[in-house]
Amino acid sequence: MSDPHSPAPGPAAGPAAAPDPTAGLIAAADAHSAHNYHPLPLVVAEAEGAWMTDVAGRRYLDLLAGYSALNFGHRHPRLVAAARAQLDRVTLTSRAFHHDRFAAFCTELAELCGMEAVLPMNTGAEAVETAVKAARLWGYTVKGVPPGRARIVVAAGNFHGRTTTIVSFSTDPEAREGFGPYTPGFTVVPYGDRAALEAAVDEDTVAVLLEPIQGEAGVVVPPPGYLAAVREVTAARGVLLVADEIQSGLGRTGRTFACEHEGVVPDVYVLGKALGGGIVPVSAVVSSRAVLDVFTPGSHGSTFGGNPLACAVALEVIALLRTGEYQQRSAELGAYLHGELAALAADGAVRAVRGRGLWAGVDVDPAFGSGRRVSELLMERGVLVKDTHGSTVRIAPPLVVAKEDLAWALGQLREVLTG
Ligand SMILES: *Cc1c(COP(=O)(O)O)cnc(C)c1O
């Protein structure tokens, strides 16, 4: 094929046909790493923007974007420059001392969220744990829930991370089974069901914790009005609404936050992934003073949370988001993406399509093959996607993806499914 995007067939161009190191590197990784992932069989060596290059020189369009950790693409020049500049100044102090990027980071992030205060952590799971601790402590010290009784309502199909407490309220057997004894204090209700949620809230409920769109579940968008209804119920019952926007937030859906699509402002945002610009892990809980002031010195912490390098990169991420360009790109290219996927669905090539902005879950006909099979066939054509839950393929390109590259990739998907 003469397609400029397709990986060159046969040995990669370059100095005299070096042997392809891919198989050897994968075998070595298999021999010496835990097997808690099943990666696609390519070995990435370099990346820029929406493109990655493997160790044999083959190029791939990245339609996964590190599960939305790479919303701004690989090595965005402004993010790399911010990181480099900070590397030459100071990288870690611990929170035992103040450092000169911390105030700006907290101020700017709070402002982006329309909130008052920030508690920085590193990974998404840590931020969710922090939100759980904040909600419980708020329940006991502010709401007046009797000691040991606080409950948090969560949704079936959730994904909030991998710690023992978080997997305790997962409904995915793969994520949960074998890791007990489980942390009590969580009530699981069906996602998208207002009545069930309302019925689950009682006087001991301190928070409702939800993803405004469930990413790992297959980019599941709740029925229209659901988030607004949850906001109404939680406000009326004196319960915190905690929005896990770790994957849905920071431009992915065409807005800064997915909650905005329903005009909902939660009490607590949980952020991660793209906040670190694809360079360092940065997460945060962003809320009101009334909620975050429950913590006092010593009651919570993190050695790396809010470190100077993390703050410098996140500050540049916030500056990028403030331009509004990325949200707009996501909205515009997202409309195009969903139009093309709807056409594929109309042609019967896919069963169902969900999502918002540059984010889609595509259910392929199980008779055609698993999501994994589709991912492998696309990889052979230079397009990287990731399957989730059997026959669903997730599409979440970096928001900097060029429209013609996205169009080309969707052409590859159509050929794989109909060819
Ligand atoms: C990825 C993710 C997390 C966990 O983040 P880690 O950085 O992997 O710990 C939590 N919630 C949601 C919605 C996520 O997508």
Side-chain angles (χ1 to χ4, degrees), residues 16 52 67 100 128 185 205 241 272 348 392 413:
M52 300 205 276
Y67 303 89
D100 67 2
V128 171
T205 307
L241 174 55
T392 300
L413 176 64

Side-chain angles (χ1 to χ4, degrees), residues 123-125 128 159-161 211 216 244 246-247 273:
T123 65
V128 171
F159 182 85
H160 297 289
E211 299 155 85
E216 299 307 297
D244 180 347
I246 290 170
Q247 194 166 158
K273 292 202 166 105

Side-chain angles (χ1 to χ4, degrees), residues 136-324:
R136 286 179 169 185
L137 200 47
W138 174 87
Y140 298 127
T141 60
V142 179
K143 184 171 172 165
V145 171
R149 294 258 298 266
R151 296 199 69 80
I152 295 177
V153 175
V154 299
N158 71 72
F159 182 85
H160 297 289
R162 301 292 198 167
T163 64
T164 42
T165 285
I166 293 172
V167 302
S168 291
F169 57 85
S170 171
T171 57
D172 176 1
E174 241 186 339
R176 185 174 192 271
E177 264 161 34
F179 300 119
Y182 301 112
T183 305
F186 298 92
T187 305
V188 183
V189 296
Y191 189 61
D193 181 339
R194 178 203 168 121
L197 184 123
E198 201 161 6
V201 170
D202 65 18
E203 66 274 19
D204 294 334
T205 307
V206 296
V208 171
L209 166 63
L210 288 178
E211 299 155 85
I213 293 177
Q214 290 188 327
E216 299 307 297
V219 194
V220 176
V221 182
Y226 175 67
L227 293 176
V230 173
R231 177 67 285 187
E232 216 177 275
V233 171
T234 48
R237 306 286 289 275
V239 168
L240 300 176
L241 174 55
V242 181
D244 180 347
E245 293 249 21
I246 290 170
Q247 194 166 158
S248 59
L250 309 185
R252 174 53 59 193
T253 66
R255 301 281 182 91
T256 305
F257 301 107
C259 281
E260 290 175 49
H261 291 282
E262 289 210 8
V264 163
V265 179
D267 299 293
V268 180
Y269 283 115
V270 186
L271 304 176
K273 292 202 166 105
L275 190 57
I279 297 177
V280 281
V282 186
S283 67
V285 172
V286 189
S287 185
S288 59
R289 285 249 72 102
V291 171
L292 287 181
D293 279 354
V294 299
F295 290 118
T296 49
S299 62
H300 192 54
S302 160
T303 303
F304 287 90
N307 69 73
L309 183 59
C311 289
V313 172
L315 270 167
E316 202 61 24
V317 164
I318 296 162
L320 293 179
L321 286 168
R322 280 204 187 279
T323 68

